[in-house]
Amino acid sequence: MEGGKTMQELKYVIVDELGIHARPAGLLVKTTGKFSSQITIQKGNIKNDAKSIIGVMTIGAKKGDEITLTCEGTDELEASEAIQAFLTENL
Amino acid sequence: MAFKFMEKLGFGDKNKIEILSPIEGVTCSLEEVNDPIFQQKILGDGIAIKPENGRVVAPVNGTIAVLFNTKHAISIISEDGVELLIHVGLDTVNLKGEHYKAHVSVGDMVKAGDLLLEFDIEGIQSKGYDLITPVIVCNTAKYSEVVPHIGNSVRALDKLITIKN
């Protein structure tokens, strides 16, 4: 796949009892911050920058909520894979 | 020069933003917080307060951006765009709101000094939690410097963090 010409999108349903509180928000941003791609996080109608701690916390994702992350840029595939791994392991 | 003098007094210095203390207590560096997420500044740079009073007031004029339903942490975005997180205690998300009471909601506009949260110090400590309270500038990367005023006894609204643009 040619970098930057497409967009990676992944959906994930939160299984963690406590949802995205401060700690997972910090760790998620630590992951997304490693990539140059533009990354967003969305729940329902709220869509925010997934490299912003406040942005990630503001969506208020709780157990059972579905979140959507998009990655767009030259390293979008790697970013998407890293995010998928992070979510599976932590949330 | 008159300009320098005014600057010393804190007037007209647009390069500095003062964050006031939301809690009465004693301040320490984030390195002293027994939790890597704060120690390693993963959520941003800032300071921690060992609370001596179970009241959290707004440290700036701003808008409530995040209030978890567990009420153990609150985020406020200041009028000049500083994204602050006040996290009352470590791992206190696990209390699921017990011993915490919120006085504001997400979206509320607040003035420095307005009551945001109350928490029961004895109740939380009796459950074995460390009540040290990090106050974090989540958008640290936007600023050239975040200077915490550590080692002080502070009352609510005393100077806590100086941010330089």
Side-chain angles (χ1 to χ4, degrees):
Chain A
M1 195 175 299
E2 208 177 328
K5 293 278 167 71
T6 58
M7 184 178 77
Q8 295 292 319
E9 181 180 286
L10 68 95
K11 290 182 186 295
Y12 185 82
V13 176
I14 309 279
V15 291
D16 185 85
E17 191 67 38
L18 299 166
I20 303 185
H21 55 98
R23 185 185 309 280
L27 295 173
L28 176 58
V29 170
K30 198 179 168 189
T31 304
T32 55
K34 289 175 188 162
F35 299 96
S36 65
S37 289
Q38 280 205 347
I39 306 178
T40 65
I41 182 167
Q42 182 170 6
K43 189 193 97 180
N45 294 326
I46 315 171
K47 187 178 190 177
N48 285 333
D49 179 1
K51 294 183 183 181
S52 154
I53 305 258
I54 296 279
V56 170
M57 290 194 298
T58 308
I59 67 159
K62 300 181 187 69
K63 184 181 180 181
D65 288 344
E66 185 183 69
I67 54 172
T68 304
L69 284 108
T70 63
C71 307
E72 200 168 1
T74 51
D75 54 5
E76 60 192 29
L77 201 58
E78 297 90 329
S80 179
E81 283 167 0
I83 291 164
Q84 180 70 60
F86 171 83
L87 293 173
T88 309
E89 195 173 324
N90 294 281
L91 284 162
Chain B
M1 289 195 316
F3 173 76
K4 286 270 184 203
F5 180 67
M6 294 296 276
E7 195 174 284
K8 254 185 193 167
L9 289 176
F11 290 107
D13 186 354
K14 292 207 170 85
N15 292 318
K16 267 191 197 169
I17 303 167
E18 296 292 348
I19 307 300
L20 308 177
S21 182
I23 305 181
E24 183 177 332
V26 178
T27 64
C28 66
S29 75
L30 289 178
E31 283 81 359
E32 288 176 60
V33 179
N34 191 21
D35 184 333
I37 200 99
F38 297 111
Q39 242 169 30
Q40 296 170 17
K41 302 180 180 176
I42 291 167
L43 291 165
D45 207 344
I47 196 167
I49 305 171
K50 296 165 183 161
E52 284 168 2
N53 180 322
R55 284 168 56 89
V56 179
V57 301
V60 288
N61 296 341
T63 307
I64 305 300
V66 180
L67 174 62
F68 295 114
N69 54 5
T70 46
K71 295 168 284 192
H72 72 293
I74 190 164
S75 172
I76 173 169
I77 300 180
S78 81
E79 283 172 340
D80 19 34
V82 182
E83 299 176 355
L84 294 167
L85 174 72
I86 305 164
H87 197 284
V88 184
L90 303 181
D91 286 322
T92 42
V93 64
N94 297 313
L95 288 168
K96 297 183 178 167
E98 200 188 346
H99 306 300
Y100 289 88
K101 187 177 179 199
H103 291 270
V104 288
S105 310
V106 169
D108 285 0
M109 289 179 68
V110 293
K111 292 245 175 266
D114 286 355
L115 182 62
L116 305 182
L117 304 174
E118 284 182 291
F119 57 99
D120 173 5
I121 292 183
E122 284 177 14
I124 295 166
Q125 284 176 337
S126 75
K127 300 246 163 79
Y129 289 91
D130 183 351
L131 255 176
I132 197 163
T133 296
V135 179
I136 306 294
V137 178
C138 292
N139 55 344
T140 291
K142 193 180 156 195
Y143 303 101
S144 66
E145 211 180 342
V146 171
V147 184
H149 302 295
I150 57 178
N152 298 331
S153 276
V154 288
R155 290 177 162 260
L157 303 187
D158 282 351
K159 260 191 200 180
L160 188 72
I161 301 170
T162 303
I163 296 173
K164 295 178 185 166
N165 272 317

